[in-house]
Amino acid sequence: ARNIDLPRRVRYSKRKNKKTHPKDTTVRKGRTYEDFEKYLLDNPDTQIVEMDTVEGIKGHSVLLTLNCIPFNFMIVCKLESQTISEVTQKINEIKAILGYETFHKIFPVILTDNGKEFKSPDLIEDNGPDVVKTKVFFCDSRRNDQKGSIEVTHEYIRRYIELGTDLDKYSKEDIYLMMNHINNTKREKLNGNTPYNLMKENIREENIKKLGFYFISPEDIILKPSLFNNNK
């Protein structure tokens, strides 16, 4: 039989063997989603924070998002680039503002994905020599549903900033303004309460204010891009 007599032989060219490089899984040792579930069984009352980044245009600024469960209170920080150093620097800034003890109270456990910007969890976990370390765990690959709460809260961000928008044009003040409006929005799943009020009861209002958050009355909430026009 000739090649022309074999349809599949004509249709498919010989596949090239692609070289594959094994992924470095060292940072995941003791930090897998299975480890996370086991930890919660032993520590059922532990507060969880889900961590992620929101991209605009590849290679430009991104948003670091930290969603505090069960209050759905989200802290959002603008990063100049999606890198380990930017994430670490921002986390360290939050530690400096709050102090290690308060930081650990708010962030005892962080659950995140396998993004390259989160590949140095030991730098995030370190709370100094006198305070218990924060625990960082990773979701399974391609399982964003394992941190579904932060994915849902990201939908609020998309009310202001459409997918694919260059985040460089938004100032740090714009991002904090947006998050204050989001955190002061009443939620059905919180029985009509707001993330701001619940978080205030948990860590005291003075600590929330240190992070740049404040109360906004319900009638003044704006959940659309025109909010930024009012900020100019």
Side-chain angles (χ1 to χ4, degrees):
R2 299 170 300 169
N3 285 340
I4 197 66
D5 298 321
L6 301 172
R8 288 180 62 85
R9 180 67 183 84
V10 173
R11 201 181 314 142
Y12 295 102
S13 58
K14 186 177 181 180
R15 294 181 181 179
K16 295 179 181 178
N17 291 325
K18 293 183 179 180
K19 292 183 179 180
T20 58
H21 301 280
K23 293 183 178 179
D24 182 10
T25 58
T26 307
V27 297
R28 289 175 54 84
K29 186 176 181 180
R31 298 188 179 99
T32 66
Y33 192 76
E34 184 179 355
D35 294 321
F36 169 71
E37 292 180 311
K38 289 177 181 176
Y39 184 84
L40 291 188
L41 285 176
D42 295 332
N43 304 272
D45 298 325
T46 299
Q47 182 172 303
I48 303 163
V49 175
E50 294 176 343
M51 180 168 66
D52 203 352
T53 50
V54 173
E55 293 184 62
I57 295 178
K58 207 77 173 175
H60 288 231
S61 301
V62 299
L63 301 180
L64 175 67
T65 57
L66 298 151
N67 191 42
C68 304
I69 300 172
F71 316 116
N72 276 103
F73 185 91
M74 184 179 279
I75 300 169
V76 178
C77 309
K78 183 180 177 182
L79 307 181
E80 295 305 313
S81 59
Q82 197 171 10
T83 60
I84 290 173
S85 61
E86 282 283 319
V87 170
T88 304
Q89 179 181 334
K90 193 55 63 176
I91 294 294
N92 285 338
E93 286 177 13
I94 295 174
K95 290 178 183 179
I97 291 170
L98 295 173
Y100 286 127
E101 288 189 14
T102 302
F103 179 87
H104 182 264
K105 181 180 179 181
I106 302 173
F107 302 91
V109 171
I110 297 177
L111 177 65
T112 189
D113 59 30
N114 295 276
K116 64 183 186 304
E117 67 272 29
F118 303 130
K119 292 301 184 183
S120 288
D122 52 316
L123 299 177
I124 298 172
E125 292 173 333
D126 183 18
N127 290 327
D130 302 318
V131 179
V132 177
K133 285 186 176 183
T134 293
K135 303 283 290 184
V136 174
F137 295 98
F138 295 97
C139 296
D140 294 330
S141 182
R142 302 181 186 278
R143 287 296 305 274
N144 286 341
D145 59 297
Q146 291 176 342
K147 54 178 178 61
S149 182
I150 198 169
E151 299 296 336
V152 170
T153 310
H154 282 171
E155 293 176 9
Y156 278 95
I157 295 177
R158 292 308 180 193
R159 296 190 184 195
Y160 300 93
I161 305 172
E162 291 184 4
L163 189 68
T165 301
D166 188 352
L167 298 175
D168 287 351
K169 71 178 186 178
Y170 297 100
S171 67
K172 172 182 163 184
E173 290 71 28
D174 288 333
I175 301 305
Y176 274 109
L177 179 65
M178 174 184 71
M179 287 317 306
N180 274 299
H181 280 257
I182 291 174
N183 284 324
N184 280 282
T185 299
K186 292 181 179 181
R187 310 288 172 85
E188 185 177 341
K189 69 178 296 184
L190 300 177
N191 297 318
N193 213 326
T194 67
Y196 179 88
N197 284 335
L198 293 178
M199 196 67 177
K200 178 180 68 175
E201 294 171 5
N202 186 53
I203 66 165
R204 301 205 306 264
E205 191 169 21
E206 63 186 75
N207 287 317
I208 288 184
K209 287 183 176 179
K210 286 179 183 178
L211 292 171
F213 296 98
Y214 49 84
F215 172 76
I216 299 176
S217 59
E219 60 269 20
D220 293 327
I221 296 296
I222 300 174
L223 294 174
K224 51 187 178 181
S226 60
L227 173 68
F228 300 125
N229 298 332
N230 298 334
N231 195 37
K232 302 305 181 186

